[in-house]
Structures are given as structure tokens and as C-alpha cells.
Amino acid sequence: MTRATCTAHPNIALVKYWGKADAALNLPATGSLSMTLDVFPTVTTVTVDDALARDEFVLGGEPQSGVPAERVTRFLDLVRAQAGSAAHARVESRNDVPSAAGLASSASGFAALAGAAAAAYGLDLDPTALSRLARRGSGSASRSVFPGFALWRTGDDAHSVAEPVRAPDMAMVIAIVDRAQKPVSSREAMRRTRETSPYYPAWVSSTAETLEAAIAACAEGDLERLGALAETNAMRMHAAIQACDPPIRYLTATSVALFDRVAALRAHGVRAWATADAGPNVVAMCHPDDVAAVRQGLGPLAELVVARPGPGLALHADADG
Ligand code: DP6
């Protein structure tokens, strides 16, 4: 038996990944830019065991079956192919999400799984190779391999990987609107947007331009420009999603109220901008000195968690079993 344990954190995209160029290889239609968080880690242990007749996946102490277990097995198949191994594995994963369940992310999940599985199967992968591997599990996981800010590029299988980038210092105030599981998975919603939203081509072309502008804003350390670009990009993603057939609407009345509140704070000189992923939770991106003002402004509307740029993938020294 060989065993390895890895920790990874979720990330929030400032320029979103929403659409695939290749679903089998999980290649994105556009590049994206994110901040890895210092909250809500996933800790995953992979034990390779010749005695197992099939893979096992235990999440938060609960044995998994169906789609989650199949996604893990398909991912392990990739690792086994690279390692030249036929052995099955037990995957034990925990999402350390204090009171904010429902924020567990596939980004931290597949990044931690990539790190732990690669090590347990004896692959010696550098961060770029781990990002490429994590991407196959979930696109956004490619970015969680890196600490701080990460840019995930388009390209073929070899080149579509994330890399660390410098960006103006930032805090994120996460407003937890709803902890329930979302009605339509992001994977399905992404597919439906590409296939049915008339705005999808405009989303792709505008996001490619926004990414270039965001990279320039990062290089110039221009938080105001970066924040404004990120908020517009989030609105455009949700506009494209809402135009699906049948339509999907992730933002609730409370989400919209949070966007309005962030805009009102900004009108009073607070350096804050809002974004939202495929769900109702809203994230205020702000200058670190303005966290208190943002907390005060958003507090009445939702439970808040403050995040700062977090660490990349961390492999733990784990004794062989
Ligand atoms: C809205 O990475 O979960 O959070 O590659 O199909 O697993 P799959 O999708 P996933 O999508 C993330 C979508 C997003 C935007 C982002 O993180 O860039």
C-alpha cells in the first residue's frame, strides 16, 4: 500500500471560465484568472491498495456512489495510465467548510485529489503537470494548484495549464446566500450555455478581451481597473446563462441586493466590486483596508466569510501504510 495526503483551497475567478473547447480533455474556450482562497480547504488522502477490487470514495465520512464516485474513478484512471498501474485506490476527502456548507468546491476537490493521487501512484509531477492533471477532473481545479493569483490559459492538452501571476493585493468578502446544492450543476449549465444561449459567442469573444485587459491591470497593480473588469465579466456570464433554453437563473433576489449594496458602497468611496459563480452566493472583491466597510455594508444581508490570497497545493509527509 502507498498513501499520500494533499490539501488544496478553492479559488474565485475574476475572469470566469464558462465554456469548453473540448469536453473530453476539459480544454476551456477562454482563459481565466482567479484568486486562490485561504479558507475552506479540502484535505484528501489516497491509498493505493492491491487488495481492493474497485476504487472507493469517502467524502466527509460518507461512502459515495453514482456520479461523484464515477468522476473520481475516471480521474484515477488517468493517473493509473500515467503511472502504468492497475491497482485500485481508496480516496478519503474532507471539505473543511465551517458553517458554510454548500461552498465545497470541485476546484479544491480535484486539485487535492490530483496531488494526493499522483504521489500515491508514485508520479513525480511538478506544479505545471499537476495543474494539467487537475484540469481533467475539473477545469477550475487547474488554478487551485497555485497560491495567490493564477492565470489558466487556453491551448491544447499540453499547454492549457495554469500559472501564478502577480496581482494587486485583494481581499474577498464571501456572502453566503444559500447553502443548498444548486439546482443545475455548473457542468450542465456550461454545456447548455454553449449549445443554446444566443449570447455564448459574445461571451467568449468579450471574455478573451477582458482577460487581456485584466492581465494588463494586474501588471500595473491597478485594483480599480481589475475590480471593474471582474464585475462586468461576472454580469456577462450570468446574462449568457440566463439566456439558455430552458433558462437558468443562479442569482436570487438577495444576490441582486448584494450587487446593489456593493455598488452603493463604491459610490461612497469603498474600493469593492462584486462577482458570483454558478450559484446565488456573492463575493465582494475589495482593497484589504476596506474589509471592515464591506462587512458592515453587506452584514445585514448574508452570513459573511473574509478570505485573503491562499496557499497552493500542499502535499503532506505521509507514512506508507
Ligand atoms: C462559474 O471548473 O466546476 O466557477 O470543468 O466542468 O468541472 P468543470 O467546471 P468547473 O466550473 C467553474 C465555473 C465557475 C467559473 C470559474 O471558476 O472560472
Side-chain angles (χ1 to χ4, degrees):
M1 282 202 300
T2 51
R3 172 178 302 161
T5 297
C6 205
T7 299
H9 290 73
N11 67 75
I12 298 290
L14 284 79
V15 179
K16 308 285 188 196
Y17 149 56
W18 195 258
K20 298 174 202 266
D22 183 319
L25 289 170
N26 233 8
L27 300 174
T30 59
S32 54
L33 174 73
S34 64
M35 185 180 104
T36 300
L37 308 181
D38 64 347
V39 295
F40 309 146
T42 298
V43 183
T44 298
T45 298
V46 174
T47 308
V48 178
D49 186 347
D50 285 318
L52 289 174
R54 53 181 177 80
D55 297 322
E56 292 174 7
F57 176 35
V58 179
L59 181 59
E62 302 282 333
Q64 303 290 303
S65 59
V67 173
E70 282 160 24
R71 271 182 86 174
V72 166
T73 285
R74 274 204 306 276
F75 187 80
L76 291 176
D77 287 341
L78 295 170
V79 179
R80 280 189 279 262
Q82 278 192 46
S85 168
H88 291 104
R90 183 165 36 257
V91 175
E92 290 159 290
S93 195
R94 249 178 326 104
N95 288 312
D96 185 6
V97 185
S99 59
L103 285 182
S105 105
S106 65
S108 56
F110 278 100
L113 179 60
Y121 278 94
L123 295 173
D124 185 17
L125 303 184
D126 65 15
T128 300
L130 283 169
S131 174
R132 184 180 301 116
L133 177 61
R135 186 200 81 219
R136 296 292 292 276
S138 190
S140 53
S142 66
R143 301 184 308 237
S144 274
V145 169
F146 295 100
F149 294 84
L151 170 65
W152 171 26
R153 293 191 187 276
T154 54
D156 60 13
D157 182 42
H159 296 96
S160 183
V161 291
E163 64 191 78
V165 287
R166 291 175 73 89
D169 194 18
M170 184 184 281
M172 290 187 170
V173 180
I174 302 164
I176 300 156
V177 173
D178 189 349
R179 297 173 192 171
Q181 252 201 325
K182 45 196 171 202
V184 185
S185 74
S186 59
R187 187 157 285 192
E188 159 59 17
M190 216 184 265
R191 189 198 58 75
R192 199 185 297 176
T193 306
R194 188 170 66 83
E195 289 177 7
T196 73
S197 176
Y199 305 151
Y200 181 69
W203 157 254
V204 169
S205 58
S206 68
T207 298
E209 283 168 22
T210 300
L211 184 65
E212 292 313 311
I215 290 168
C218 283
E220 288 156 20
D222 188 343
L223 178 68
E224 274 77 5
R225 178 92 181 113
L226 185 60
L229 287 165
E231 184 168 310
T232 301
N233 185 251
M235 286 288 94
R236 287 176 177 170
M237 180 185 81
H238 283 278
I241 293 171
Q242 290 182 18
C244 284
D245 181 17
I248 301 166
R249 190 168 50 81
Y250 284 121
L251 302 178
T252 65
T254 304
S255 317
V256 174
L258 284 158
F259 269 84
D260 283 350
R261 192 64 67 86
V262 169
L265 286 167
R266 207 161 54 232
H268 286 91
V270 178
R271 292 156 293 181
W273 300 267
T275 188
D277 283 340
N281 300 322
V282 173
V283 177
M285 306 160 279
C286 68
H287 191 288
D289 292 347
D290 290 351
V291 166
V294 172
R295 283 187 76 111
Q296 206 183 4
L298 305 187
L301 294 175
E303 181 186 341
L304 304 177
V305 176
V306 177
R308 297 279 285 140
L313 207 59
L315 189 64
H316 303 268
D318 215 331
D320 284 356

